[in-house]
Amino acid sequence: SDNEDDDNDQHAAIPAKLQLTVPFTAQAPTANWDELHNEACEEASLIMANAYFNDISSLPPATVEKEITKLTKYQQDNYGYYLSITTSETARMAEEVYGMKTEIVKFNEQTIKQALADNKLIVYPAMGQMLGNPNFTGEGPIYHMLVITGYDGSNYITNDPGTRKGLNYKYSYDTLEAAAGNWVHSAHAVDTSYKRIIIISK
């Protein structure tokens, strides 16, 4: 009808299921799981998002290593640390290093689906051990980030850099909602009461 709000016009319809084709990399592309690469999920997530928006179809390990080095240097120079960074620090890095647009919003199923329908990606920070991914080493990372690339009837589809088997890895809606959280430097822990995601667009 003609009476709809104007802002509806800017959004694509939300289909029942959707998946964007986003190139995948593990956060340790050469399987070197040292301290840096064990914590390189933020970098890997942004590298995948940047590749998607620049039509880069594959991410060879050498390229990823170069990008991880660039991003860790940015963090060291700007934040003074680089192993784990917060949601807002990750968003700032996406903007300043890759020129991507970011928006930090509350975790919400409709918001996520709408963003994907609008051809945007979701970088999702979480308490990694609550994700229950059987491919993680041990209990998994305390703090983790991944890219939500789509959804179906009951799951989010993700590119999860925490495992070699992370391409199109599915997590239930409930799992991602429960695990969502933000890194707290002072506590060296994840605050799962702070459930925010980063919507990334070009």
Side-chain angles (χ1 to χ4, degrees), residues 12-18 108-120 122 148 150-156 173 197 199:
I14 299 179
K17 57 183 188 191
L18 171 74
N108 172 285
E109 186 183 319
Q110 280 309 105
T111 305
I112 290 170
K113 289 179 173 179
Q114 184 65 70
L116 291 163
D118 291 339
N119 197 34
K120 298 175 179 178
I122 311 294
I148 302 177
Y151 58 86
D152 59 22
S154 46
N155 300 293
Y156 293 111
Y173 291 152
I197 52 172
I199 299 177

Side-chain angles (χ1 to χ4, degrees), residues 13-32:
I14 299 179
K17 57 183 188 191
L18 171 74
Q19 184 175 2
L20 303 177
T21 304
V22 180
F24 175 75
T25 181
Q27 63 199 52
T30 59
N32 170 24

Side-chain angles (χ1 to χ4, degrees), residues 39-107:
E39 304 289 347
C41 53
E42 300 96 327
E43 292 83 353
S45 294
L46 293 189
I47 291 164
M48 288 189 270
N50 181 61
Y52 176 75
F53 290 118
N54 287 289
D55 300 319
I56 297 165
S57 56
S58 70
L59 288 168
T63 304
V64 175
E65 287 292 356
K66 205 168 77 186
E67 292 298 306
I68 288 176
T69 301
K70 180 166 87 182
L71 292 169
T72 48
K73 181 177 185 323
Y74 167 86
Q75 291 167 65
Q76 191 61 50
D77 291 349
N78 289 274
Y79 306 149
Y81 42 77
Y82 59 83
L83 288 177
S84 289
I85 60 171
T86 64
T87 307
S88 58
E89 287 168 342
T90 303
R92 182 181 147 193
M93 182 165 71
E95 292 183 0
E96 294 192 355
V97 178
Y98 289 131
M100 296 189 283
K101 291 190 187 125
T102 67
E103 193 185 349
I104 296 175
V105 298
K106 277 192 172 146
F107 185 99

Side-chain angles (χ1 to χ4, degrees), residues 178-199:
N182 189 33
W183 182 250
V184 182
H185 288 294
S186 57
H188 208 74
V190 180
D191 174 9
T192 53
S193 70
Y194 180 94
K195 297 190 182 298
R196 301 286 189 281
I197 52 172
I198 307 169
I199 299 177

